[in-house]
Amino acid sequence: MKKRIGLFFPVIVGALLLGLNLLGLRNFEWRIYDLFLKMKPPIEENDSLLLLVIDDTTINNINMFPLSRDFMAEGLILLKEFNARYTTFDVEFVDRSPRGVDAAYLNEDLPDLFYLKFSEIEQNFTGLFQAIQEKRISIEDAEVFVEELASYTAADMDFLLAEVKKIERDNDQYLGNAARFFGNTFMTLNILDWVDDTVSDDFRDYALEAFSVKTLNIIDESPLHEAIDINPSIMPVISGAKGAGFPRVEVDPDGVQRRVDLLYRYNGELISQLGLAPLLDWLGNPIVEVQKTRIVLRGAEHPDKGTIDISIPLTDDNRFLINWPKKLFEDSFQQMSYYTLVLHDELESDLASNLQIMNNEGYLTFYAGDFPLPDLYQELQTLQKDLLNGADPSLIADYRDYRLYFFEELGLFLNGPSVENILAEYQSLIDSDEYTPEEAAGITDLMAFVGEVFDGTRALYDELMKVRTTLA
C-alpha cells in the first residue's frame, strides 16, 4: 500500500496544482506546494558545502558592515591554504571601495626600514664626531663631510617617504589578486531590466567574452529570459575570477522565494545563475541544452557517477523550482562564521609579534631547527605577496607545505625544553658571582619575563591551532 501511495503521490500533486492554476488560484497553489514540500523526504545536504556567514559575531567583533574588501581577500588566501576547491561570493562588488592600509607592511616591514635608516644616519654622524674628536679630521675639513652626510640624509628621507606611501593599498585590486590566487573564485555579474550608463561597452564585451556559457545547444528559446543590460563586479575584482553569474532571485507576491532563473540571455550570449556557474565548471563544462520544459547538462563529468546527462525540469514560467531544506537557514548545511577566518589572522598576527619579541630577547637562539623561525616566517610572507602578484601558481603547494612546517616547528619550540634552557642560562649568570646584587635582581626580573612571554605565546599558539583544526 505504501508503495502504491508513493507511486501516485506526484501525479496527484501535479493534477491538483494544475487545476488550481487553471482556476486562477495562484496563491492557493503556492500554499499547496509549500504543504507538499514539507511532506517530501528532506534533501540530502552535501557535507562538502560550507556556508561562510557574515553573522552578528563577525560584525560585532570587527565593528564593520559591510566588511571591507581586504577582509574578503585575506579570507580567500586562508581558504586556499586549507585547500578549499571553490568559492562563490554573493556580495556584489559593483562600486569602487575606499583604499585601505597594508597592516602587515605598516607593522612589520616599515619599522625595520626606519630602524635601519636611522641607525645608518646615527652611525655616520657618530663616526664623524669621533673622527673630529680624535683629530683625524680637522674642523675646516669637516664641512665637506657634513655636506655629504646631509646629502645622504636627504636621500634616506626621500626613500622613507616613498616607502610610507606603500602603506596605502588598493583593496579592490587586492581582492582581485586574491581571487586569482585562490583559482576557482566566482563573482557576481548582475542582469538588469534597464540600461546602466555607468558600464562601458568595452567592459560589457569583456564580461560576455570571459563569463558567458560557451558550450550550448538551444533547441527551444522559450525558457530564455532577455536582460536589458548587465552590470559585472568592477574590473579590478572580477578580472581575478574564474567565472561569474547573476544573483537575481524571483520572489513571489506572498514574499516567498520558490523559483529561480538558471539562464538569462544578453546580446545573444547566455549568462548562468551564480550557483550554476561553479557547478558547470565542477562538472567539466558540459553542453547546456535548452529545451522547452527542461535544461539538460549533456556529458557532465560527475566525480562519482562518471559521464552522465543531468536533466533539470522547469516550471511553466521557465524557472527552476526550489526544493528547500526542511530547516531554518541557520540549521541547514554546514555553516561557519566568517569571523573564524578573521580570528585566525588576528591570532597569527599577535603570534608573529610575540615571535619578534622572543627574537629580540635572544630566546630563539635556543631553537635547534634548520631555519630560524623569524626568517622562515618572513620568507613565507614574501612568497605570499609574490603569489598574489602573479608568481608561478605551482609554488602554492610549497607555500602550503612550508606554512604547515612553520607552525609544527613553532609548536615544538614553545612546548619543548627551551624555557628551562633559557632559565638555566640566566641562573648560571646569577650563580657566577660576577654581578652585583642589583644586577642579579635585574636578571631575576628577566627570568620572570621569560615565563610571561612563553606563557602568552603558548596561549596564542594553542588558540590558533584550534582554529586551524576547525578549518582543516
Side-chain angles (χ1 to χ4, degrees):
M1 184 65 179
K2 289 183 178 179
K3 183 177 181 182
R4 203 173 278 178
I5 290 174
L7 178 64
F8 286 104
F9 185 76
V11 178
I12 296 170
V13 173
L16 181 57
L17 294 179
L18 176 61
L20 292 171
N21 190 23
L22 292 174
L23 291 172
L25 302 176
R26 194 69 168 179
N27 285 340
F28 192 58
E29 174 196 343
W30 291 331
R31 296 303 181 190
I32 292 294
Y33 171 75
D34 295 342
L35 176 63
F36 282 123
L37 189 62
K38 294 178 181 178
M39 297 172 63
K40 289 185 61 179
I43 64 170
E44 180 182 351
E45 297 182 7
N46 194 310
D47 59 9
S48 67
L49 297 176
L50 174 66
L51 305 180
L52 281 167
V53 185
I54 300 176
D55 55 2
D56 290 343
T57 300
T58 307
I59 296 168
N60 292 337
N61 278 281
I62 300 176
N63 197 26
M64 179 190 299
F65 186 80
L67 301 190
S68 59
R69 291 173 191 174
D70 55 333
F71 284 107
M72 301 295 183
E74 284 151 11
L76 278 174
I77 295 168
L78 186 58
L79 289 171
K80 185 64 175 181
E81 180 182 345
F82 284 92
N83 218 21
R85 187 168 179 187
Y86 284 86
T87 298
T88 301
F89 284 92
D90 64 354
V91 181
E92 300 178 7
F93 304 114
V94 295
D95 298 306
R96 294 286 297 186
S97 68
R99 299 179 79 85
V101 172
D102 187 341
Y105 185 77
L106 174 63
N107 296 322
E108 298 168 16
D109 296 346
L110 199 60
D112 290 343
L113 285 174
F114 268 81
Y115 178 80
L116 175 64
K117 289 300 179 182
F118 276 86
S119 294
E120 290 176 354
I121 292 171
E122 180 183 11
Q123 184 178 1
N124 288 335
F125 276 99
T126 300
L128 175 61
F129 287 122
Q130 187 174 354
I132 294 173
Q133 186 179 24
E134 295 174 354
K135 298 183 179 180
R136 289 184 282 110
I137 297 176
S138 66
I139 297 296
E140 293 78 11
D141 294 336
E143 184 177 354
V144 176
F145 290 97
V146 170
E147 290 175 354
E148 289 183 1
L149 289 179
S151 177
Y152 291 146
T153 303
D156 286 341
M157 182 180 69
D158 292 340
F159 171 81
L160 290 174
L161 286 173
E163 292 299 313
V164 166
K165 292 179 181 179
K166 293 180 181 179
I167 296 173
E168 184 182 55
R169 179 172 61 200
D170 185 336
N171 280 341
D172 298 329
Q173 191 63 60
Y174 186 37
L175 177 55
N177 290 345
R180 186 178 296 105
F181 167 80
F182 183 86
N184 294 327
T185 309
F186 286 75
M187 301 287 187
T188 62
L189 195 167
N190 291 323
I191 49 103
L192 305 176
D193 295 328
W194 67 91
V195 176
D196 188 344
D197 294 330
T198 66
V199 181
S200 70
D201 289 337
D202 288 344
F203 192 28
R204 290 187 184 93
D205 292 342
Y206 163 80
L208 289 178
E209 175 62 28
F211 305 119
S212 61
V213 180
K214 298 297 187 297
T215 51
L216 284 171
N217 181 21
I218 301 177
I219 296 175
D220 192 305
E221 296 189 355
S222 57
L224 299 177
H225 297 157
E226 297 282 345
I228 302 301
D229 204 352
I230 58 174
N231 185 13
S233 297
I234 59 174
M235 189 63 173
V237 173
I238 205 169
S239 60
K242 175 73 173 292
F246 60 85
R248 181 170 182 166
V249 298
E250 183 72 20
V251 180
D252 290 328
D254 62 351
V256 179
Q257 182 188 347
R258 299 180 179 88
R259 299 158 297 146
V260 63
D261 290 289
L262 295 181
L263 296 168
Y264 252 86
R265 183 160 58 185
Y266 175 71
N267 277 6
E269 303 287 346
L270 290 194
I271 302 168
S272 63
Q273 196 270 344
L274 182 59
L276 180 60
L279 177 63
L280 291 176
D281 186 81
W282 183 69
L283 292 171
N285 291 305
I287 296 173
V288 179
E289 184 175 283
V290 182
Q291 301 180 13
K292 185 174 183 178
T293 60
R294 67 189 62 249
I295 292 173
V296 181
L297 308 182
R298 297 284 185 195
E301 298 292 338
H302 194 282
D304 298 325
K305 300 178 181 179
T307 303
I308 57 174
D309 294 339
I310 300 175
S311 180
I312 305 173
L314 303 176
T315 61
D316 57 359
D317 61 353
N318 304 316
R319 293 183 169 96
F320 173 64
L321 201 58
I322 301 172
N323 187 4
W324 289 110
K326 293 185 175 184
K327 302 175 183 177
L328 296 174
F329 169 77
E330 55 267 24
D331 298 322
S332 63
F333 293 95
Q334 289 191 89
Q335 297 192 23
M336 179 185 292
S337 171
Y338 199 85
Y339 183 64
T340 305
L341 305 183
V342 179
L343 176 61
H344 176 284
D345 290 349
E346 289 176 344
L347 290 169
E348 182 179 327
S349 178
D350 291 343
L351 188 63
S353 297
N354 276 26
L355 193 63
Q356 189 60 51
I357 291 172
M358 298 173 90
N359 191 44
N360 293 340
E361 294 294 326
Y363 304 159
L364 293 181
T365 58
F366 290 82
Y367 169 67
D370 296 330
F371 303 101
L373 290 174
D375 294 349
L376 177 57
Y377 187 75
Q378 189 57 49
E379 285 294 322
L380 285 167
Q381 294 298 93
T382 301
L383 178 56
Q384 182 193 104
K385 289 181 180 179
D386 291 343
L387 287 166
L388 288 172
N389 291 325
D392 185 355
S394 66
L395 294 173
I396 292 174
D398 292 338
Y399 170 77
R400 186 182 293 119
D401 291 343
Y402 277 109
R403 288 266 299 175
L404 182 61
Y405 173 78
F406 167 79
F407 286 116
E408 288 175 347
E409 288 294 298
L410 179 57
L412 291 173
F413 172 70
L414 292 175
N415 295 294
S418 304
V419 173
E420 290 78 7
N421 293 338
I422 295 169
L423 294 178
E425 184 82 12
Y426 278 131
Q427 188 62 49
S428 68
L429 296 177
I430 296 175
D431 295 341
S432 67
D433 295 329
E434 295 180 7
Y435 298 91
T436 65
E438 292 77 12
E439 291 171 334
I443 295 173
T444 301
D445 292 339
L446 291 176
M447 294 173 70
F449 185 62
V450 172
E452 292 175 10
V453 172
F454 269 84
D455 287 346
T457 306
R458 282 196 203 99
L460 285 171
Y461 178 85
D462 292 343
E463 187 66 24
L464 179 59
M465 290 306 103
K466 290 178 183 177
V467 176
R468 290 180 68 84
T469 300
T470 300
L471 293 172

